[in-house]
Structures are given as structure tokens and as C-alpha cells.
């Protein structure tokens, strides 16, 4: 039956975001490497804080996430008044688009950028515009060339998911200088903690320098709190004011706030997560290259692997082969990269398992 209710034009043109697979029918053991989750899990202190609130679930959370904003500000050396917390950085991305774009406007992002950028643009009737990349890396010159009087927001994931590449602090600053003051630059630094390169910056220092830069971060990756949906944005005061007017009054749950406080304070756990990822990402890339596949230059907690363009050794065939063995990785066709698979760096056992399976598949 056709519904008499008609959504706003463009809504039905949106392809819903689909997360990575989490289960395999009939498998006794599932290796989940499709969603860039932290294989070490969250800080034990964050788990304890979460468990202590089981008797408080009937209480509303602090609508301002004040203790959490204080913990973030203390850990990062930031102004708490510029911090806005959200139900994951996804919510904050959507709120920024809702606040600053609408029908007739354009939202610009890099060609293989996070799918939530174009999805968020379409939800408000704006036009998403994908800027070409070079070598699977954001190209500042292309972004500036694609900027028009209709451009309202530019999203740069740095490092980017799923390509795993990044642009330098100087390139980020050059992009900011080249954009009109009327365009909001949103730097999505979800994987910032994993990057060790000397020329990298999350863009945090750009925020207090001007009125048109926002940086977003997440607790889903390095802090291992993906299921709690927790993120934050560092903003100019005027943008923070707008986000606080748009967001729900209790948009971050009480358990998420409590776990987030302890997670960001537990820098020893963060350090362990970074060291584990650095070791096994390097090992994975080296082993995959020996097998004849092509690992990318990823600096996050995942690898992007290119497979031969042959039917029996393709990325699609590899995906199904791994799945038949209970190993879940992410197909990249939705990002315009059909010859690639994205593989999260798991535990030592999980990482060895996927390399062993790929060895059997490729050879």
C-alpha cells in the first residue's frame, strides 16, 4: 500500500548507512574486523564507571555533560566552553549540516570520505559534492577548486576512513586559509590518537584562531566505547552556541558520560591501544604484501588492501572466502573502491588469523 504521507523531497533518495557485519550464520567463532573497533576494548576504569550506574538508570543525565567536558578539557588542554558533546561524532556532523546548510546549498567532501557527509547533506536538502582525490588522499587544491558561492560546509576526515591517509598540518592550514569565512571547515579527527607522524595535526589548534573551523572527535575508536555512542566537537563560541540550541536536551546518556570521563583520564590504556595498533598494523601490512596483495598507507586502526582485478582473486571473492571462515572485514564498493577491503587491526590472534586465511585464498 502506498502511504499518503510524503516525506520532504530528497529523503527517499538517501541510501541508509550500513555498518559492518557483526555475525556469520553457523559460525562457532566470529572474528569481527569490519567496524574499526578497539580490539583491547575500553578502559577497565570506564567499565567500572558504567557498571556503577546500574542503579541510576531512572535518572536523567546532566544535559550539559559538564563533568565530561571538564575531563576532555583537562586531558587535551582545551577551553571547556568550546566543547559540545554528542551521541557519537555522527550526531555532531548531522547537527552541523542541519545548522548551516539547506536546499540550494552545497556540502563539500573528499571523494572517498565518510559516507555520513553526503547522507547528512541530503537529509537537509543540500547537495553533496565529492572532490577528487589523488593517491587516495584528500587534495587541498581540488577542494578549493570545487568551492563555490553555494558551498556552506567542507568536511575533511583526517586521517580519512576508509583510505587511512592524511594530509599534513600545513596542508590543513592552507585549506583553511583558502576557504571563504562564510564556509565552515569541519575536521573529522576520529582516528587522531593513532597517528604518529610528525607533520600531522588533528586541527585542534586552528579552532581558536578563526570562527569557521570545527574539529570533531569520538570515543568509539581509541577509547573502545562504540556501543555507548559518544563524541565531542571543539568549536568557535558561536558554533558551540548553535549546536547547543539544536541538540537534544539529554543527548548523551548518563552511562556514556561516566564511562567517557574515566576513558579519557586513563591515558595508560590509550597508550596500550596505540602501541598494540602500531605493532600489528605494521606486521599485517608486511605480511599481506608478501602474499601479493597491496596494503595502503593507513595511519588509523585499520588497513586498506587492494586485491587483483581477477574473478577468482578479487576483493569480492576474498570477502566471501573470509566470511566462510567466520572472518568479517568491510567491502569498499560503497566508497567507490570495489577492488579493496578494509580490515580492522584486531587482537594478535585475530590479526594472525586473517593473514593466514588470506594466504590460503591468494596462494
Amino acid at each position: 500500500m502506498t502511504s499518503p504521507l510524503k516525506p520532504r523531497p530528497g529523503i527517499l533518495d538517501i541510501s541508509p548507512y550500513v555498518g559492518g557485519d557483526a555475525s556469520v550464520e553457523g559460525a562457532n567463532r566470529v572474528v569481527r574486523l569490519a567496524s574499526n573497533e578497539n580490539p583491547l576494548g575500553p578502559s577497565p576504569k570506564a567499565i567500572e564507571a558504567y557498571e556503577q550506574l546500574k542503579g541510576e538508570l531512572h535518572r536523567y543525565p546532566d544535559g550539559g555533560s559538564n563533568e565530561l567536558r571538564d575531563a576532555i578539557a583537562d586531558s587535551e588542554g582545551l577551553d571547556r566552553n568550546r566543547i559540545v558533546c554528542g551521541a557519537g561524532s555522527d550526531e555532531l556532523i548531522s547537527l552541523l549540516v542541519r545548522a548551516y546548510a539547506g536546499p540550494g546549498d552545497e556540502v563539500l567532501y573528499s571523494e572517498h570520505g565518510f559516507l555520513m557527509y553526503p547522507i547528512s547533506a541530503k537529509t537537509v536538502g543540500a547537495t553533496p559534492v565529492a572532490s577528487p582525490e589523488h593517491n587516495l588522499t584528500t587534495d587541498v587544491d581540488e577542494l578549493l577548486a570545487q568551492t563555490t558561492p553555494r558551498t556552506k560546509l567542507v568536511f575533511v576526515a583526517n586521517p580519512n576512513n576508509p583510505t587511512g591517509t592524511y594530509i599534513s598540518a600545513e596542508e590543513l592550514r592552507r585549506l583553511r586559509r583558502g576557504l571563504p569565512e562564510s564556509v565552515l571547515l569541519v575536521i573529522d579527527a576520529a582516528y587522531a590518537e593513532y597517528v604518529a607522524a610528525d607533520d600531522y595535526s588533528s586541527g585542534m589548534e586552528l579552532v581558536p584562531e578563526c570562527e569557521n573551523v570545527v574539529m570533531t572527535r569520538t570515543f568509539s575508536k581509541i577509547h573502545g566505547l562504540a556501543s555507548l555512542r559518544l563524541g565531542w566537537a571543539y568549536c568557535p563560541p558561536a558554533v558551540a552556541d548553535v549546536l547547543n540550541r539544536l541538540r537534544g536536551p539529554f543527548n548523551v546518556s548518563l552511562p556514556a558520560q561516566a564511562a567517557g570521563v574515566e576513558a579519557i583520564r586513563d591515558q595508560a590504556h590509550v597508550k596500550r591501544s596505540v602501541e598494540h595498533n602500531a605493532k600489528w598494523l605494521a606486521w599485517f601490512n608486511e605480511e599481506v604484501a608478501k602474499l601479493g596483495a597491496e596494503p595502503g598507507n593507513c595511519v588509523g586502526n585499520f588497513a586498506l588492501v587492494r586485491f587483483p582485478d581477477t574473478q577468482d582473486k578479487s576483493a569480492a571473492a576474498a570477502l566471501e572466502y573470509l566470511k566462510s571462515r567466520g572472518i568479517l572485514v568491510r567491502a569498499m564498493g560503497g566508497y567507490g573502491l570495489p577492488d579493496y577491503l578494509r580490515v580492522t587491526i584486531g587482537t594478535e590472534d585475530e590479526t594472525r588469523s586473517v593473514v593466514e586465511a588470506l594466504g590460503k585464498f591468494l596462494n
Side-chain angles (χ1 to χ4, degrees):
M1 179 183 296
T2 301
S3 172
L5 301 176
K6 301 297 181 184
R8 191 172 49 72
I11 296 297
L12 295 182
D13 295 330
I14 298 171
S15 297
Y17 183 85
V18 179
D21 290 338
S23 62
V24 179
E25 186 175 354
N28 294 324
R29 173 183 181 244
V30 177
V31 176
R32 293 176 53 172
L33 302 177
S35 298
N36 297 347
E37 297 155 338
N38 186 333
L40 304 187
S43 159
K45 297 177 181 178
I47 295 173
E48 182 181 0
Y50 177 88
E51 291 176 339
Q52 287 180 349
L53 288 171
K54 62 186 178 182
E56 300 294 320
L57 300 185
H58 58 301
R59 303 295 185 190
Y60 281 101
D62 170 18
S65 300
N66 286 292
E67 186 178 0
L68 176 58
R69 289 193 297 125
D70 284 342
I72 294 169
D74 290 344
S75 176
E76 303 288 344
L78 303 177
D79 177 358
R80 71 182 302 278
N81 295 315
R82 292 172 172 263
I83 298 171
V84 179
C85 295
S89 54
D90 292 351
E91 182 195 25
L92 296 164
I93 288 166
S94 297
L95 289 175
L96 287 165
V97 173
R98 180 180 159 199
Y100 294 101
D105 297 329
E106 294 177 346
V107 174
L108 183 59
Y109 64 102
S110 193
E111 180 180 6
H112 301 298
F114 187 33
L115 289 178
M116 286 308 300
Y117 309 148
I119 288 175
S120 297
K122 291 178 181 179
T123 64
V124 300
T127 301
V129 177
S131 173
E133 295 181 1
H134 290 145
N135 299 320
L136 300 184
T137 303
T138 298
D139 189 299
V140 169
D141 291 323
E142 291 285 2
L143 284 172
L144 293 175
Q146 294 283 335
T147 301
T148 74
R150 295 200 297 167
T151 305
K152 299 301 179 184
L153 298 100
V154 175
F155 282 97
V156 174
N158 202 40
N160 184 52
N161 168 29
T163 62
T165 56
Y166 75 97
I167 59 174
S168 69
E170 181 51 41
E171 281 293 275
L172 206 55
R173 186 174 292 276
R174 185 167 73 87
L175 173 60
R176 200 275 303 169
R177 287 196 302 263
L179 291 174
E181 293 183 3
S182 58
V183 174
L184 180 63
L185 173 60
V186 182
I187 304 166
D188 182 356
Y191 299 90
E193 293 89 349
Y194 291 105
V195 188
D198 291 338
D199 63 346
Y200 172 78
S201 168
S202 67
M204 189 183 299
E205 73 282 357
L206 296 179
V207 176
E209 294 180 6
C210 49
E211 297 301 315
N212 66 332
V213 178
V214 170
M215 179 201 66
T216 62
R217 299 285 280 274
T218 183
F219 281 80
S220 297
K221 307 305 178 187
I222 194 71
H223 298 297
L225 296 176
S227 69
L228 292 185
R229 310 312 305 128
L230 184 60
W232 55 282
Y234 194 52
C235 318
V239 177
D241 177 59
V242 167
L243 289 178
N244 283 320
R245 292 171 188 268
L246 281 181
R247 67 176 178 81
F250 304 106
N251 63 325
V252 180
S253 72
L254 182 60
Q257 290 184 37
V261 167
E262 295 305 321
I264 203 163
R265 287 175 177 169
D266 191 354
Q267 289 300 306
H269 183 75
V270 171
K271 184 173 183 288
R272 284 192 295 272
S273 297
V274 170
E275 290 175 346
H276 172 90
N277 185 75
K279 175 180 178 179
W280 290 104
L281 175 60
W283 181 85
F284 178 87
N285 285 339
E286 182 178 345
E287 294 301 313
V288 166
K290 291 177 185 176
L291 297 175
E294 298 178 32
N297 297 315
C298 296
V299 296
N301 68 338
F302 56 89
L304 188 70
V305 183
R306 186 174 187 177
F307 289 80
D309 186 18
T310 59
Q311 186 173 0
D312 61 333
K313 301 298 180 184
S314 67
L319 181 74
E320 292 305 313
Y321 181 89
L322 293 173
K323 189 173 182 178
S324 72
R325 283 152 179 75
I327 299 173
L328 298 175
V329 299
R330 191 69 180 270
M332 290 288 102
Y335 284 91
L337 298 166
D339 294 336
Y340 294 80
L341 295 179
R342 193 191 69 194
V343 183
T344 305
I345 300 304
T347 62
E348 176 180 350
D349 180 59
E350 290 170 339
T351 306
R352 289 185 181 277
S353 293
V354 71
V355 168
E356 179 182 358
L358 285 174
K360 293 177 180 178
F361 170 75
L362 289 168
N363 297 316

